[in-house]
Amino acid sequence: MTSNDKLIRTENLNLWYGEKQALYDITLGIIPNKITALIGPSGCGKSTLIRCFNRMNDVIDKCKITGKIFFHEHDIYEPDADAVEVRKKIGMVFQKPNPFPKTIYENVAYGSRVQGITNKSSLDDVVEKSLKNAALWDEVKDRLHESAMGLSGGQQQRLCIARSLSIEPEVILMDEPCSALDPIATAKIEDLMTGLKKKYTVIIVTHNMQQAARVSDYTAYMYLGKMIEFGETDQIFENPKEELTENYITGRFG
């Protein structure tokens, strides 16, 4: 597979928070319309890495990055690259659902309004399409003008996914999207992820190895800020090449 087959590609990516180095020489290629899982023990750099992909680390003081990250073969850290444009194409869903204290409708319409869309028919279409893509429409279509805070945790997380889909990104980053959810809500999010890859590229950080094995096509194992092994999920879980990976997968440490 050539570099041109990769939607996101990192080359020798290093990151420091002040004096502390958090990522070491990460070279990785993300294949489009697949789910890639990042696994590894707490503090190994998984969340730091996906926050590089949409430049969320820009807002952290004393954060220094070297190396390159290409999106469609354009380096998103070039001096003339626009972080706002990057974030339109690479959306993010966080560990805890974070709906705005607004109605369900306004949560989803927010991104379109920011982009200057005010036509009610257009906004209605965006809201319906996004909620359907997030597998939430049937549950909330009769209560769109009620507060999003009245939804269950799992529904709130799907609402946040709908909100990220509303501006039509190409990539969805999910930072432990199920860690605050019960098993039933988790299963719904996992089903949703599987459906989303038809239209989007999904990158998920998860502590749950069973979840990575269930939903992802590719898995990267990280340890102490380094990329230890990357490959197809079946290979990583059934026949890891690196002893560190095998020790983690089999529960010997982590």
Side-chain angles (χ1 to χ4, degrees), residues 196-207:
L196 286 174
K197 70 179 180 181
K198 295 171 189 162
K199 298 178 185 174
Y200 308 94
T201 300
V202 180
I203 305 171
I204 176 175
V205 166
T206 180
H207 271 113

Side-chain angles (χ1 to χ4, degrees), residues 5 24 39 46 51 94 118 128 132 139 158-159 163 173 207 221 240:
D5 298 320
Y24 296 82
I39 64 170
K46 305 182 297 292
R51 285 166 177 265
F94 296 93
T118 56
E128 182 173 344
K132 282 181 173 174
E139 294 169 47
R158 280 181 284 148
L159 179 67
R163 191 174 67 198
L173 309 175
H207 271 113
Y221 171 62

Side-chain angles (χ1 to χ4, degrees), residues 84-92 107-115 117 126 129-130 161-171 200:
V84 174
E85 290 300 315
V86 169
R87 290 181 198 129
K88 282 182 187 174
K89 293 295 180 190
I90 305 177
M92 189 153 193
N107 264 272
V108 184
Y110 178 83
S112 298
R113 290 196 192 279
V114 167
Q115 292 180 352
I117 297 171
V126 166
K129 179 182 174 187
S130 302
I161 293 169
R163 191 174 67 198
S164 74
L165 298 179
S166 69
I167 55 172
E168 300 192 335
E170 292 181 51
V171 180
Y200 308 94

Side-chain angles (χ1 to χ4, degrees), residues 97-108:
N98 60 341
F100 301 140
K102 298 173 179 282
T103 65
I104 294 166
Y105 184 99
E106 287 301 332
N107 264 272
V108 184

